[in-house]
Amino acid sequence: MDRFPRMLRQNRPPGLKLIIAYKFLKAPVMLALAGALTFAPVSAIRAARHVAFELSEGGGISWRLAHWLEPHLTERVERRAAIVAWLDGVSTVAEGLLLVSGKAWGEWIVVAGLSLLLPVEVLALVRRARIARALVLVINAAVVVYLAWRRLRAVHHPQQQRA
């Protein structure tokens, strides 16, 4: 265990461990998606159209999803999706590393970054309410509240701070 950096051995509360795990699980998925959209756009569009077709074979919600998805599978949307996926993947890696560092300022940077996204997520949800959008908003808001609460608690009760 001595081979691991001290920051990886820190005792962290379960909430922080969960956020870190989420960041490091989400990052490779987003970076892989970004890579596919950037370096294999034809294959990415073909795969997306195949998914839309398979969804259309189902009933109810999957059929509606497929018929919403199909007209959105354009080169323009694909390019924008690649940019968003790269930004999301890179920022998620950075956030994960900041949280792993165990530094208070790292947590504050994550709070600031996610807080800036919350109004955009609220506007998107107001514009077109979707369960997935609501879920993203709730998760990001919960992460912001939890990390801010940890940092504020550490300021007011430094002897109780575990990580």
Side-chain angles (χ1 to χ4, degrees):
M1 188 112 176
D2 290 329
R3 293 179 286 171
F4 293 102
R6 182 176 165 265
M7 69 177 153
L8 294 178
R9 294 189 313 237
Q10 289 181 344
N11 184 23
R12 293 184 172 87
L16 188 57
K17 287 179 183 178
L18 184 62
I19 294 168
I20 292 169
Y22 167 72
K23 296 292 181 185
F24 285 122
L25 290 172
K26 178 186 169 199
V29 171
M30 293 309 295
L31 292 172
L33 175 62
L37 290 170
T38 302
F39 301 114
V42 173
S43 296
I45 285 285
R46 189 178 307 126
R49 287 197 173 120
H50 178 72
V51 167
F53 173 76
E54 291 296 323
L55 287 171
S56 71
E57 295 296 310
I61 293 174
S62 65
W63 182 85
R64 284 188 295 218
L65 178 61
H67 287 282
W68 173 88
L69 186 60
E70 186 62 37
H72 290 89
L73 297 176
T74 66
E75 288 183 33
R76 180 175 173 229
V77 169
E78 178 189 1
R79 284 190 300 273
R80 287 182 177 181
I83 292 168
V84 169
W86 280 114
L87 291 172
D88 189 34
V90 170
S91 66
T92 301
V93 168
E95 289 171 351
L97 292 173
L98 287 168
L99 294 174
V100 165
S101 77
K103 305 289 185 191
W105 55 266
E107 288 184 38
W108 280 121
I109 290 173
V110 173
V111 167
L114 286 177
S115 294
L116 291 172
L117 293 176
L118 293 179
V120 174
E121 291 171 1
V122 168
L123 288 174
L125 188 61
V126 167
R127 193 179 113 239
R128 182 167 277 177
R130 297 284 184 253
I131 291 173
R133 286 182 180 168
L135 187 60
V136 168
L137 175 63
V138 167
I139 290 170
N140 284 341
V143 169
V144 167
V145 168
Y146 176 76
L147 292 177
W149 171 78
R150 274 181 43 78
R151 291 296 95 221
L152 293 172
R153 189 184 69 177
V155 169
H156 296 295
H157 307 288
Q159 69 280 4
Q160 293 179 359
Q161 188 65 18
R162 294 193 298 176

